[in-house]
Amino acid sequence: MKAKANSQVALQKPRKSLGQRILDNREMYLLLLIPVVLTLIYKYVPMYGIQIAFRDFKASRGITGSEWVGLKWFARFFSAPTCGRMIKNTLLLSLFALLWSFPVPIILSLVINQLKFPRFKRVTQTVLYAPHFISTMVICGMIRIFLSPSGGLINLLLGTQIDFLTEASLFRTIYIASGIWQDAGWGCIIYLATLASVDAVLYEAAQVDGASVFQRILHIDIPALLPMAILNLIMSAGSLMNVGFEKVWLLQTDLNKATSDVIAVYVYQQGIEGAKYSYSTAVSLFNTAINLILLFAVNRIAKKVSDVEFV
C-alpha cells in the first residue's frame, strides 16, 4: 500500500513549466541557438527580397518603393523564345543525372563492403573520395584538357581529332559522367555507414544456411540500405531543377547551347550580367517552386510505396 501511495504521489508531481525546462537544459539550448540564428539570417531573412519578382525593382527606390507589376516578369519569361528549351534542358539534364548517378554510390558501397583486406579497403575508399575535394573549376579544366581535339587523352586513345565540347549531343554525357566520377565515392559514405550498423549475426546465420555472397547482398544489405536510399532519392528530387551552375557555365560553348542552355545559367546572365534583378528573381522563384512541387510529389509516392517519408 505504501509503495502504491508513493507512486501516486510521484504521478501527481507538478510538471515543470516550459521556462523551467529550458533553464534546466540551458547548455543544450545555447548550442542549438547558433544553427537556428544562422539559419534565420541566411535562409529566412533573405526571403523578404522575393517580392522583387513582383516589382519593377530600382535600387535607388528600394524594394518597397519600387513599382508593383504583379506577374509581368513571369509572363515575359514564359514568352521568351528560349523558355521551352531551357526548361527542357534543365529537366532532362537533372533527370538523366539522377537516373545514372543515384545507383552508383549504392553499388560502390555494396562492393566495398565485400572487400576482405582492411588496408586495400581503406586505399580504395580514399581513391574514390578524392575527386570530391577537387574544385569544379579544376574539374572543368581537366575535362577540357582530356577532351581537347589536339593532344587530348580521349582523342589519343580513339585516334581522332573531335572537339567533344562543341557537340551538343555529347554535352549531357560529359556532364553526367564527370559528375559520377567526382561525387560517387563521396556519396557512398552514408551507405557504408548504414551497412556497418548491420548486425554481424545476420551474415553469420546466412553463411551457416549456405547463402552465397549475392544472396547475402540481396536479402541483407539491400533491405538495410533501402530506407536511406529512398530518403536520398527524395532529397535529390527536391533539387531536381538545380543543375550545377558552375560546371554548365564553364563547359558551355556557343555550339553546345542546344543542350547546355539551362535556367541557372540564364538567371546568372540576366541577373548579374544584365542587371535585370526582378526578372532573374522571378525566373529563379519559378525554378524553386517546381523543386518544391517535385519534393512533395516524390515524398508522397515514397510514403505510399515504402512507408518512408522525409517531409
Side-chain angles (χ1 to χ4, degrees):
M1 293 293 293
K2 186 177 180 180
K4 185 176 180 181
N6 290 336
S7 64
Q8 289 178 345
V9 171
L11 289 173
Q12 295 173 358
K13 186 177 179 181
R15 186 180 179 184
K16 292 183 178 179
S17 64
L18 176 61
Q20 185 61 46
R21 295 200 302 273
I22 292 176
L23 186 63
D24 291 343
N25 299 279
R26 54 187 176 277
E27 295 87 358
M28 302 299 294
Y29 281 102
L30 283 174
L31 288 174
L32 181 64
L33 185 64
I34 298 172
V36 168
V37 170
L38 290 175
T39 300
L40 288 173
I41 293 174
Y42 291 106
K43 298 295 184 180
Y44 287 92
V45 173
M47 290 176 68
Y48 173 77
I50 289 177
Q51 62 179 297
I52 71 174
F54 306 94
R55 296 178 181 272
D56 186 9
F57 176 70
K58 304 294 183 184
S60 58
R61 299 179 183 177
I63 295 178
T64 55
S66 299
E67 181 186 358
W68 185 272
V69 295
L71 300 177
K72 173 184 175 181
W73 305 119
F74 295 93
R76 176 178 292 186
F77 172 63
F78 292 129
S79 62
T82 58
C83 174
R85 186 178 73 177
M86 286 187 294
I87 295 175
K88 176 186 174 183
N89 288 340
T90 303
L91 279 172
L92 289 180
L93 197 60
S94 300
L95 192 61
F96 289 154
L98 180 62
L99 179 66
W100 288 104
S101 63
F102 180 75
V104 174
I106 300 175
I107 296 171
L108 279 176
S109 64
L110 293 172
V111 173
I112 293 173
N113 192 55
Q114 296 300 320
L115 297 178
K116 301 301 181 184
F117 302 101
R119 182 174 296 180
F120 179 67
K121 186 175 182 178
R122 288 195 297 270
V123 171
T124 302
Q125 289 177 282
T126 302
V127 171
L128 291 173
Y129 299 163
H132 176 77
F133 299 98
I134 304 175
S135 71
T136 303
M137 182 172 290
V138 174
I139 290 289
C140 292
M142 294 170 63
I143 292 172
R144 288 187 174 274
I145 293 171
F146 291 151
L147 301 180
S148 173
S150 57
L153 178 62
I154 304 301
N155 278 302
L156 289 175
L157 292 175
L158 298 177
T160 58
Q161 290 186 336
I162 303 173
D163 192 352
F164 293 96
L165 288 176
T166 62
E167 299 289 337
S169 59
L170 297 177
F171 179 81
R172 291 182 187 132
T173 302
I174 295 169
Y175 179 91
I176 294 168
S178 60
I180 292 173
W181 172 73
Q182 185 178 12
D183 295 322
W186 184 258
C188 74
I189 291 178
I190 191 168
Y191 297 113
L192 286 171
T194 303
L195 290 173
S197 65
V198 177
D199 194 346
V201 175
L202 294 175
Y203 295 108
E204 294 171 1
Q207 285 181 318
V208 170
D209 292 338
S212 63
V213 173
F214 177 76
Q215 288 174 324
R216 294 198 297 271
I217 292 174
L218 185 63
H219 298 289
I220 299 177
D221 292 343
I222 293 180
L225 292 178
L226 192 59
M228 185 57 65
I230 293 174
L231 285 178
N232 281 338
L233 178 62
I234 295 172
M235 294 172 66
S236 299
S239 58
L240 192 63
M241 296 285 286
N242 291 341
V243 177
F245 158 75
E246 296 90 350
K247 186 184 289 186
V248 176
W249 176 250
L250 292 170
L251 295 179
Q252 189 179 74
T253 65
D254 291 335
L255 297 176
N256 65 22
K257 277 193 173 183
T259 54
S260 66
D261 199 10
V262 296
I263 293 177
V265 173
Y266 186 70
V267 169
Y268 172 81
Q269 291 172 334
Q270 297 297 318
I272 303 301
E273 294 183 348
K276 299 175 182 177
Y277 304 116
S278 293
Y279 181 54
S280 60
T281 302
V283 177
S284 184
L285 183 59
F286 162 75
N287 196 51
T288 303
I290 297 298
N291 276 331
L292 191 63
I293 293 170
L294 289 172
L295 174 63
F296 282 104
V298 174
N299 181 71
R300 179 64 63 86
I301 294 171
K303 182 180 180 181
K304 288 184 177 180
V305 172
S306 62
D307 292 331
V308 177
E309 61 180 332
F310 182 66
V311 292

